[in-house]
Amino acid sequence: MINILYNIRKGDINMEDNKIEVELRGFLPTKGERWRNLLIELQKFWGMPSVTDELVIFFKYDKDIRLKITKDGAFIIWKERSEKNKSKFMLKEHIASISMDTVIDFVRILDAIGYKEGLFSYCTRYDYKKGPYSFSIKLNSVCGDFFEIDKKISNEKQIESAKNELKYILNKLKLRPWTDEEYDRHRKRSWSNVEKERLIYSDGTPNVKIKNIVCKYQNKTHQSTNESVLERLKKGIE
């Protein structure tokens, strides 16, 4: 599966504005030697990953809007079809950042304006970065364990070459991206029994999943040692 995301990010001076992100996703090896070899190759080329819990809440209303919370804060994301290309996987992505100490207040605002329920996906993610390339391992999400690899480019003429570069890297890692059909089938199957959850409970308290990730990262600096990160990854999905 190939996503082409036109990123329009606001509210965080550390984020790149108006970049095009070419993204591939696919399954991770399930266990054993292939998993260990993948980690060795990733560390060799990409170095040590950054680790975070990630909660994504998908709102199924008239707009494709989602709220993502990680150790870096929260991000409200609106995805819309690109006017230039109506392809299902070519999207314009508007992103605004929210500081961790205002996440609960922001969630209350969402609830007040009608975004009361969403589909929740919680995972642990390991993010590698090298230049314009990013590689993420996501474990225990609603869609299971999978990878994402992307490259940020500056114009549409570079899309095809970026796709080929990403496929080349995946081939070296002995990984294969999902086709559009595989991704659709897997996503629908994974989410088929997931029920919507309230952002704010009837007693006025925030959803426990939101509360837990905010409490975990609020006013704290989380730094994992290289050894602890590697140990967690080695256990991985075995």
Side-chain angles (χ1 to χ4, degrees):
M1 185 207 74
I2 299 174
N3 264 345
I4 312 296
L5 302 176
Y6 292 78
N7 297 139
I8 302 172
R9 298 178 182 245
K10 304 297 180 186
D12 187 331
I13 60 174
N14 295 316
M15 289 184 173
E16 296 176 284
D17 290 334
N18 301 326
K19 286 288 187 179
I20 299 173
E21 183 179 290
V22 181
E23 179 184 83
L24 301 176
R25 297 176 183 174
F27 286 123
L28 289 163
T30 53
K31 59 183 178 180
E33 187 174 355
R34 282 192 63 208
W35 174 246
R36 290 190 292 272
N37 288 342
L38 172 62
L39 298 182
I40 291 169
E41 289 301 312
L42 286 173
Q43 187 179 359
K44 187 188 303 181
F45 181 76
W46 301 80
M48 293 300 299
S50 170
V51 187
T52 183
D53 288 4
E54 177 185 81
L55 173 63
V56 182
I57 306 167
F58 299 88
F59 299 102
K60 297 299 180 182
Y61 295 98
D62 60 333
K63 302 288 186 184
D64 183 358
I65 292 177
R66 60 206 57 188
L67 177 66
K68 179 189 292 186
I69 307 173
T70 71
K71 69 179 181 181
D72 297 318
F75 307 89
I76 190 74
I77 303 166
W78 168 34
K79 296 190 178 186
E80 62 171 340
R81 300 283 169 258
S82 168
E83 293 177 4
K84 294 182 180 179
N85 190 319
K86 298 300 182 181
S87 164
K88 182 176 183 181
F89 297 106
M90 186 167 283
L91 304 171
K92 184 176 288 186
E93 191 175 63
H94 304 263
I95 305 173
S97 60
I98 304 141
S99 64
M100 189 63 76
D101 60 352
T102 61
V103 170
I104 297 299
D105 288 337
F106 184 77
V107 168
R108 293 189 187 281
I109 291 171
L110 287 175
D111 180 77
I113 64 175
Y115 286 80
K116 296 181 178 295
E117 295 181 323
L119 297 172
F120 285 55
S121 179
Y122 205 109
C123 74
T124 303
R125 61 181 293 163
Y126 298 80
D127 296 319
Y128 298 82
K129 187 167 178 59
K130 190 175 182 72
Y133 303 96
S134 297
F135 187 97
S136 297
I137 290 175
K138 293 192 176 185
L139 302 181
N140 303 313
S141 75
V142 169
C143 286
D145 304 315
F146 64 95
F147 70 81
E148 293 179 349
I149 185 170
D150 68 67
K151 181 182 180 183
K152 289 183 173 60
I153 57 177
S154 56
N155 64 73
E156 292 185 30
K157 293 179 181 178
Q158 299 171 314
I159 289 176
E160 286 303 317
S161 62
K163 288 181 191 177
N164 292 332
E165 288 173 30
L166 295 178
K167 288 178 180 178
Y168 175 79
I169 293 171
L170 291 180
N171 185 56
K172 298 288 283 185
L173 293 172
K174 295 182 170 57
L175 296 173
R176 184 180 69 83
W178 287 320
T179 64
D180 295 350
E181 294 75 18
E182 286 173 328
Y183 173 70
D184 260 351
R185 188 166 56 247
H186 178 63
R187 178 179 55 82
K188 289 175 182 177
R189 184 171 59 244
S190 299
W191 286 95
S192 60
N193 295 316
V194 178
E195 300 286 341
K196 290 181 180 178
E197 298 183 47
R198 289 289 302 265
L199 274 69
I200 302 294
Y201 297 133
S202 57
D203 64 359
T205 59
N207 185 292
V208 66
K209 293 175 183 175
I210 299 172
K211 182 179 179 181
N212 284 349
I213 193 169
V214 170
C215 288
K216 179 172 184 176
Y217 292 125
Q218 192 172 39
N219 301 321
K220 292 182 181 179
T221 301
H222 284 260
Q223 294 182 337
S224 300
T225 64
N226 288 354
E227 290 77 16
S228 68
V229 170
L230 286 174
E231 277 306 308
R232 290 167 66 183
L233 268 173
K234 284 177 182 175
K235 290 179 182 177
I237 45 184
E238 295 185 349

